[in-house]
Amino acid sequence: MKEIVLRLLKERSPEYVSGEEICRLLNVTRTAVWKHIQALRESGYEIEARPRAGYTLTGIPDRLYPEEIRDGLSNRFLGRKIYYFDTVSTTNDKAKELARQGDGEGTLIVAEEQTGGKGRLGRKWFAPKYKGIWFSLILCPPVLPPEANQVTMLAAVAVASAIKKETGIEAGIKWPNDLLVGSKKICGILTELSAEMERINYLVAGIGINVNQDETDFPEELRESAASLKNESKRKIDRVRLIQTTLAEFERWYGTWLEQGFAPVLARWKEMSVSLNCPVRISAPNNSWDGWAEDIDGDGALLLRLPGGELKRVISGEVSLRLS
Ligand code: BT5
């Protein structure tokens, strides 16, 4: 009901919609209409009421409300079902819990703030309130578990494409899954998996995009290494539009991957990569290698040419870009 009232006010804005018309359309009493208007106001919508004229919408809050995300999203399945949290520990754990309870392909879990945001290997992801886009998608691709890595790579391509469309900023992909602007990280991706030997039960793709942070919004230790889209473009970014475009790009690339395989995704990934054909250092928990990042193979592993000429296949690790 609340969503219908909102849609009506949006459609008619800046005109007024009379209380009587809303009553008639929804078949409810004046008091019920007033309650819906109050509920919308409490959610941050600015609605003016004028005697004899009715109600008009004068302001929309900067929130990733499901009704805002759905409004204008033409996706077939991705993001059609949405769970929204003002605050949550981590959207990835929420997504896993919901997937275990039966939520399936395309379910979106989005939060305004994460208090226990996760990076890879137990690292932390900083996700302050109303400043970024912190979300997870439940997916059930009909592929073998080792191919799950490809979803992380297509996620990177989808997010980078959406950022370019919405802000004009060209984010580069650093293997395996960081998006950088210059040398600073703007987005991180964490994919988690529930699988058997032969099939994936579900996969959770967790994506964090730094959107409207000012430099001082980052903790001291991240100021040198992290960036936000607002800082880079010098303007506040519409988070709803950016998540809509990200979901649209994700659905498009996911469809391409399911229909045509990994090759077209990998080709685009390579075009967007900033960690190929350059000298790099790969750090793994117990070792590190310097070499030339030569290529990515069909499974998404990095092929590193070592100084001795040997080609090393790296499945996981941290890349740092070397200047020489
Ligand atoms: C990642 O890990 O980059 C994956 C981040 C995934 C975050 C999303 S948000 C929605 C979903 N729910 C979650 O709980 N997680 C996912 P990794 O490559 O391990 O990078 C982690 C490192 O990035 C940290 O150790 C910090 O150095 C740095 N970092 C933390 N927060 C950052 C931020 N907001 N921006 C840039 N760098 C950050």
Short mmCIF file of all heavy atoms in Angstrom, two decimals, residues 25-49:
data_model
loop_
_atom_site.label_atom_id
_atom_site.label_comp_id
_atom_site.label_asym_id
_atom_site.label_seq_id
_atom_site.Cartn_x
_atom_site.Cartn_y
_atom_site.Cartn_z
N LEU A 25 -8.69 4.96 -5.03
CA LEU A 25 -7.82 4.01 -5.73
C LEU A 25 -7.46 2.81 -4.86
O LEU A 25 -7.38 1.68 -5.32
CB LEU A 25 -6.53 4.70 -6.20
CG LEU A 25 -6.67 5.56 -7.45
CD1 LEU A 25 -5.41 6.38 -7.67
CD2 LEU A 25 -6.94 4.68 -8.66
N LEU A 26 -7.22 3.09 -3.58
CA LEU A 26 -6.78 2.00 -2.70
C LEU A 26 -7.94 1.36 -1.94
O LEU A 26 -7.74 0.36 -1.25
CB LEU A 26 -5.74 2.51 -1.69
CG LEU A 26 -4.44 3.08 -2.25
CD1 LEU A 26 -3.54 3.52 -1.11
CD2 LEU A 26 -3.72 2.04 -3.08
N ASN A 27 -9.08 2.00 -2.07
CA ASN A 27 -10.26 1.51 -1.36
C ASN A 27 -10.02 1.47 0.16
O ASN A 27 -10.23 0.43 0.80
CB ASN A 27 -10.65 0.13 -1.91
CG ASN A 27 -12.08 -0.21 -1.57
OD1 ASN A 27 -12.85 0.69 -1.23
ND2 ASN A 27 -12.41 -1.49 -1.63
N VAL A 28 -9.51 2.57 0.66
CA VAL A 28 -9.25 2.67 2.12
C VAL A 28 -9.81 4.00 2.64
O VAL A 28 -10.19 4.87 1.85
CB VAL A 28 -7.73 2.59 2.45
CG1 VAL A 28 -7.19 1.21 2.13
CG2 VAL A 28 -6.95 3.67 1.73
N THR A 29 -9.79 4.15 3.95
CA THR A 29 -10.32 5.38 4.55
C THR A 29 -9.28 6.50 4.51
O THR A 29 -8.10 6.26 4.31
CB THR A 29 -10.68 5.14 6.03
OG1 THR A 29 -9.46 4.80 6.71
CG2 THR A 29 -11.69 4.03 6.20
N ARG A 30 -9.74 7.71 4.76
CA ARG A 30 -8.86 8.88 4.86
C ARG A 30 -7.78 8.68 5.92
O ARG A 30 -6.63 9.05 5.73
CB ARG A 30 -9.69 10.11 5.27
CG ARG A 30 -10.48 10.68 4.15
CD ARG A 30 -9.67 11.74 3.46
NE ARG A 30 -10.45 12.37 2.41
CZ ARG A 30 -10.19 13.55 1.91
NH1 ARG A 30 -9.16 14.25 2.36
NH2 ARG A 30 -10.90 14.03 0.94
N THR A 31 -8.19 8.09 7.04
CA THR A 31 -7.24 7.87 8.13
C THR A 31 -6.14 6.92 7.67
O THR A 31 -4.96 7.14 7.97
CB THR A 31 -7.95 7.23 9.36
OG1 THR A 31 -9.21 7.82 9.46
CG2 THR A 31 -7.15 7.36 10.60
N ALA A 32 -6.51 5.90 6.91
CA ALA A 32 -5.50 4.95 6.42
C ALA A 32 -4.53 5.66 5.47
O ALA A 32 -3.31 5.45 5.56
CB ALA A 32 -6.17 3.79 5.71
N VAL A 33 -5.05 6.51 4.61
CA VAL A 33 -4.17 7.26 3.68
C VAL A 33 -3.20 8.11 4.49
O VAL A 33 -1.99 8.11 4.24
CB VAL A 33 -5.02 8.16 2.74
CG1 VAL A 33 -4.11 9.10 1.96
CG2 VAL A 33 -5.84 7.30 1.79
N TRP A 34 -3.73 8.78 5.47
CA TRP A 34 -2.89 9.65 6.29
C TRP A 34 -1.78 8.85 6.98
O TRP A 34 -0.63 9.28 7.06
CB TRP A 34 -3.77 10.37 7.33
CG TRP A 34 -3.00 11.40 8.09
CD1 TRP A 34 -2.69 12.67 7.69
CD2 TRP A 34 -2.42 11.23 9.38
NE1 TRP A 34 -1.95 13.30 8.64
CE2 TRP A 34 -1.76 12.45 9.71
CE3 TRP A 34 -2.37 10.18 10.30
CZ2 TRP A 34 -1.08 12.63 10.90
CZ3 TRP A 34 -1.68 10.37 11.49
CH2 TRP A 34 -1.06 11.58 11.79
N LYS A 35 -2.11 7.63 7.40
CA LYS A 35 -1.11 6.77 8.06
C LYS A 35 0.00 6.40 7.09
O LYS A 35 1.18 6.37 7.44
CB LYS A 35 -1.77 5.50 8.61
CG LYS A 35 -2.40 5.74 9.96
CD LYS A 35 -2.82 4.43 10.61
CE LYS A 35 -3.53 4.71 11.92
NZ LYS A 35 -4.51 3.69 12.25
N HIS A 36 -0.39 6.10 5.84
CA HIS A 36 0.64 5.77 4.84
C HIS A 36 1.54 6.97 4.56
O HIS A 36 2.75 6.84 4.42
CB HIS A 36 0.00 5.29 3.53
CG HIS A 36 -0.68 3.97 3.65
ND1 HIS A 36 -0.05 2.85 4.19
CD2 HIS A 36 -1.92 3.55 3.32
CE1 HIS A 36 -0.89 1.84 4.18
NE2 HIS A 36 -2.04 2.23 3.67
N ILE A 37 0.91 8.14 4.50
CA ILE A 37 1.69 9.37 4.26
C ILE A 37 2.67 9.58 5.42
O ILE A 37 3.85 9.87 5.21
CB ILE A 37 0.75 10.60 4.11
CG1 ILE A 37 -0.15 10.44 2.88
CG2 ILE A 37 1.55 11.91 4.10
CD1 ILE A 37 0.47 10.68 1.54
N GLN A 38 2.18 9.37 6.64
CA GLN A 38 3.04 9.53 7.81
C GLN A 38 4.20 8.53 7.78
O GLN A 38 5.35 8.87 8.09
CB GLN A 38 2.25 9.32 9.11
CG GLN A 38 1.52 10.54 9.59
CD GLN A 38 2.37 11.80 9.58
OE1 GLN A 38 2.29 12.60 8.66
NE2 GLN A 38 3.20 11.98 10.58
N ALA A 39 3.89 7.29 7.39
CA ALA A 39 4.94 6.26 7.33
C ALA A 39 6.00 6.65 6.30
O ALA A 39 7.20 6.48 6.54
CB ALA A 39 4.32 4.91 6.97
N LEU A 40 5.55 7.19 5.17
CA LEU A 40 6.53 7.62 4.15
C LEU A 40 7.39 8.76 4.68
O LEU A 40 8.60 8.79 4.49
CB LEU A 40 5.80 8.06 2.87
CG LEU A 40 5.22 6.92 2.02
CD1 LEU A 40 4.28 7.45 0.95
CD2 LEU A 40 6.36 6.13 1.34
N ARG A 41 6.75 9.68 5.39
CA ARG A 41 7.52 10.80 5.97
C ARG A 41 8.55 10.29 6.96
O ARG A 41 9.68 10.77 7.00
CB ARG A 41 6.57 11.78 6.67
CG ARG A 41 5.83 12.66 5.69
CD ARG A 41 4.91 13.59 6.43
NE ARG A 41 4.32 14.58 5.55
CZ ARG A 41 3.12 15.10 5.75
NH1 ARG A 41 2.40 14.75 6.80
NH2 ARG A 41 2.65 15.99 4.92
N GLU A 42 8.13 9.30 7.76
CA GLU A 42 9.08 8.73 8.74
C GLU A 42 10.25 8.06 8.05
O GLU A 42 11.35 7.99 8.58
CB GLU A 42 8.36 7.74 9.66
CG GLU A 42 7.76 8.45 10.86
CD GLU A 42 6.61 7.68 11.48
OE1 GLU A 42 6.64 6.44 11.40
OE2 GLU A 42 5.69 8.33 12.03
N SER A 43 10.04 7.57 6.83
CA SER A 43 11.14 6.97 6.07
C SER A 43 12.00 8.02 5.37
O SER A 43 12.95 7.68 4.67
CB SER A 43 10.59 6.02 4.99
OG SER A 43 9.83 5.02 5.58
N GLY A 44 11.63 9.28 5.52
CA GLY A 44 12.47 10.35 4.97
C GLY A 44 11.92 11.02 3.73
O GLY A 44 12.53 11.95 3.20
N TYR A 45 10.77 10.58 3.24
CA TYR A 45 10.17 11.24 2.08
C TYR A 45 9.58 12.57 2.53
O TYR A 45 8.96 12.64 3.59
CB TYR A 45 9.07 10.35 1.45
CG TYR A 45 9.64 9.14 0.78
CD1 TYR A 45 9.78 7.94 1.48
CD2 TYR A 45 10.09 9.19 -0.54
CE1 TYR A 45 10.34 6.82 0.88
CE2 TYR A 45 10.65 8.07 -1.14
CZ TYR A 45 10.77 6.89 -0.43
OH TYR A 45 11.33 5.80 -1.02
N GLU A 46 9.78 13.61 1.70
CA GLU A 46 9.20 14.91 2.04
C GLU A 46 7.90 15.06 1.27
O GLU A 46 7.89 15.01 0.03
CB GLU A 46 10.18 16.02 1.68
CG GLU A 46 11.37 16.04 2.62
CD GLU A 46 12.53 16.84 2.06
OE1 GLU A 46 12.29 17.80 1.30
OE2 GLU A 46 13.68 16.46 2.36
N ILE A 47 6.82 15.17 2.01
CA ILE A 47 5.50 15.26 1.39
C ILE A 47 4.77 16.47 1.94
O ILE A 47 4.65 16.62 3.16
CB ILE A 47 4.67 13.97 1.67
CG1 ILE A 47 5.41 12.76 1.08
CG2 ILE A 47 3.27 14.08 1.09
CD1 ILE A 47 4.85 11.43 1.52
N GLU A 48 4.36 17.33 1.05
CA GLU A 48 3.60 18.50 1.49
C GLU A 48 2.12 18.22 1.38
O GLU A 48 1.68 17.58 0.42
CB GLU A 48 3.92 19.68 0.57
CG GLU A 48 5.02 20.57 1.10
CD GLU A 48 5.32 21.69 0.14
OE1 GLU A 48 4.39 22.21 -0.50
OE2 GLU A 48 6.52 22.00 0.02
N ALA A 49 1.38 18.68 2.37
CA ALA A 49 -0.07 18.52 2.34
C ALA A 49 -0.70 19.90 2.27
O ALA A 49 -0.25 20.82 2.96
CB ALA A 49 -0.54 17.79 3.58
#
